[in-house]
Amino acid sequence: MRIDILTVLPELLDSPFGHSIIKRAQAKGVVDVCVHNIRDYATDKHRRVDDYSFGGDAGMVLKIDPIFALMEKLKAERTYDDVIFLTPDGERYNQRIANQLSLQKNIILLCGHYKGVDHRVRERLITRELSVGDYVLTGGELAAAVVVDSVVRLLPDAISNETSALSDSFQDNLLSAPVYTRPAEFNGWKVPEVLLSGNFREIAKWQEEQALERTARLRPDLLDRRCE
Ligand code: ADE
């Protein structure tokens, strides 16, 4: 899979992609994450990427021309399944969308900034708009990092034990059962007996009960979506 990220602040993405699973997945060739600086495609002498909004609303708006030039260059090189804009007014991102995106071959993620982006970008160049939650971030970069992280861990061979991504919370619209490790007793606080029993049927039954109980208590809304 290839993910192209278009941003005016590429430095913000150095750290999230330079470590752990994403770094290893890139090294293994499972994914190619390419971060592009929109400013490199600005053509005026000041290399402006933003401008005042028509109509006089306060705040700067990202210009269409550098974004268009960068997207045209990328689209000439390969076909993209989706061109996604990260924005607080987009469709709410969730595990189902992460699963969908993980099946795609090439996607573009455009990070918004300032007051927004020239609306013609959204009307003409974007195929999908995603929000990572009902709060406003300074820009779309951290939202893009959330999308990339959650998608890459689903790719075959990104995680050594593939089943661990499949048993994530939310994968089945169920929260995960609690997990424990050694010591079996700490400060008098004991690990549930069943987990030490070696009886795998009993353990699986306990895990399922726990998952259902935690979901009903903490996220009852997920149970309504279990057949989605
Ligand atoms: N950009 C700013 N806030 C955002 C959010 N909540 N989701 C996606 N992109 C954003």
Side-chain angles (χ1 to χ4, degrees), residues 39-138:
R39 197 174 297 279
D40 294 341
Y41 295 81
T43 47
D44 67 312
K45 73 170 189 279
H46 301 294
R47 296 176 70 215
R48 284 193 79 142
V49 289
D50 59 339
D51 211 333
Y52 296 99
S53 66
F54 284 124
D57 188 13
M60 305 301 272
V61 174
L62 286 180
K63 287 159 63 63
I64 188 169
D65 33 320
I67 293 172
F68 181 78
L70 173 49
M71 284 188 184
E72 283 295 289
K73 176 185 169 282
L74 293 171
K75 287 181 194 167
E77 291 164 357
R78 67 195 64 76
T79 307
Y80 286 90
D81 301 298
D82 257 321
V83 181
I84 297 166
F85 180 49
L86 282 318
T87 173
D89 54 9
E91 178 186 1
R92 180 86 67 82
Y93 188 62
N94 59 21
Q95 189 66 47
R96 178 181 55 82
I97 302 175
N99 293 345
Q100 278 172 7
L101 296 182
S102 74
L103 300 174
Q104 298 190 329
K105 192 159 162 28
N106 302 310
I107 58 172
I108 289 177
L109 302 180
L110 172 66
C111 306
H113 243 271
Y114 312 106
K115 257 284 168 185
V117 62
D118 187 307
H119 204 68
R120 289 166 292 186
V121 171
R122 299 175 68 166
E123 286 170 338
R124 308 274 175 182
L125 307 177
I126 294 297
T127 60
R128 186 164 201 178
E129 301 191 328
L130 296 177
S131 161
V132 295
D134 288 344
Y135 41 81
V136 179
L137 300 165
T138 316

Side-chain angles (χ1 to χ4, degrees), residues 11-23:
E11 308 79 28
L12 268 180
L13 292 167
D14 288 346
S15 177
F17 303 149
H19 304 279
S20 178
I21 288 176
I22 311 232
K23 185 177 179 190

